[in-house]
Amino acid sequence: MTYPPQGGWQDQPGNWQGQPGGGWQDPAGGGWQDPSRPTYIDPSSGQPAYVDPISGQPAGYPPQQQYSQGGYADYSQYPGYPAPVMAPSRRTNGLSIASMVVAIVGLISSPCYGIPGIAIGMVGAILGHVGHKQAKERDEDGGGMAIAGITIGWIAVAAGLIALAIYIYVWFWFKNTVDNINNYTPTPYYTR
């Protein structure tokens, strides 16, 4: 006999328990069962009943409720929630967004000798003034971003001016120090 046998398991005629061949052992421990006899007895009539091999239910009884995939009940008969309604939103003024972005770039670039911070911060502040005016006139969002752009832009201008003043001071101090070193003449010692 090969493992697994072709065509299913088949008992050899007669087995070690002395039972006739061709039967099968009941997994529930009910003993030997003859394949020609049904295994289910109808309780109402006392007669043997046919058991459906797919559902496992005896024939003549209503089938069990079949569940959808995953073993969950079908809730399609219940009404669902309505589709969400999106409230219309107001537009955000583009100059307000641009003013804030340009002013932040100006603030970040102000330590670079001060000149980029002055120029870019001033552009951000001007864009903020125009964007704030447009947001009020057109009833758009973005007024707060415009005010932030104005504030950060003028801070960037001030930081650029301070950085430029520091760089100019350091440059003159270094130049004077180098000139003093180059023009240094030692004091002669006078002997008496």
Side-chain angles (χ1 to χ4, degrees):
M1 178 149 80
T2 62
Y3 185 79
Q6 300 295 331
W9 293 101
Q10 296 178 1
D11 289 338
Q12 301 297 327
N15 59 17
W16 64 276
Q17 294 177 347
Q19 297 171 345
W24 56 276
Q25 194 70 22
D26 185 12
W32 178 84
Q33 297 290 326
D34 184 6
S36 63
R37 292 181 27 208
T39 60
Y40 181 78
I41 304 296
D42 187 3
S44 62
S45 66
Q47 299 294 321
Y50 170 75
V51 176
D52 185 21
I54 295 174
S55 67
Q57 296 292 317
Y61 284 95
Q64 284 185 335
Q65 178 184 1
Q66 298 295 321
Y67 292 104
S68 62
Q69 185 179 14
Y72 297 105
D74 182 24
Y75 292 106
S76 63
Q77 71 265 13
Y78 299 110
Y81 291 106
V85 177
M86 299 298 292
S89 62
R90 294 174 22 176
R91 287 190 49 191
T92 304
N93 188 288
L95 286 179
S96 300
I97 297 170
S99 72
M100 191 173 68
V101 171
V102 170
I104 290 171
V105 169
L107 184 63
I108 292 171
S109 65
S110 63
C112 301
Y113 301 109
I115 297 172
I118 295 169
I120 297 173
M122 196 171 292
V123 170
I126 292 170
L127 283 174
H129 286 291
V130 175
H132 188 63
K133 183 179 177 185
Q134 280 185 358
K136 281 184 179 179
E137 289 174 353
R138 298 177 183 174
D139 193 32
E140 294 177 330
D141 286 340
M145 284 188 278
I147 292 172
I150 294 168
T151 306
I152 296 171
W154 289 121
I155 290 172
V157 169
L161 288 172
I162 292 170
L164 184 62
I166 290 171
Y167 283 120
I168 290 173
Y169 173 77
V170 169
W171 185 75
F172 277 117
W173 176 83
F174 185 72
K175 184 177 184 276
N176 287 337
T177 305
V178 170
D179 285 344
N180 288 339
I181 291 173
N182 289 340
N183 295 334
Y184 176 73
T185 54
T187 308
Y189 291 106
Y190 295 106
T191 57
R192 293 190 189 184

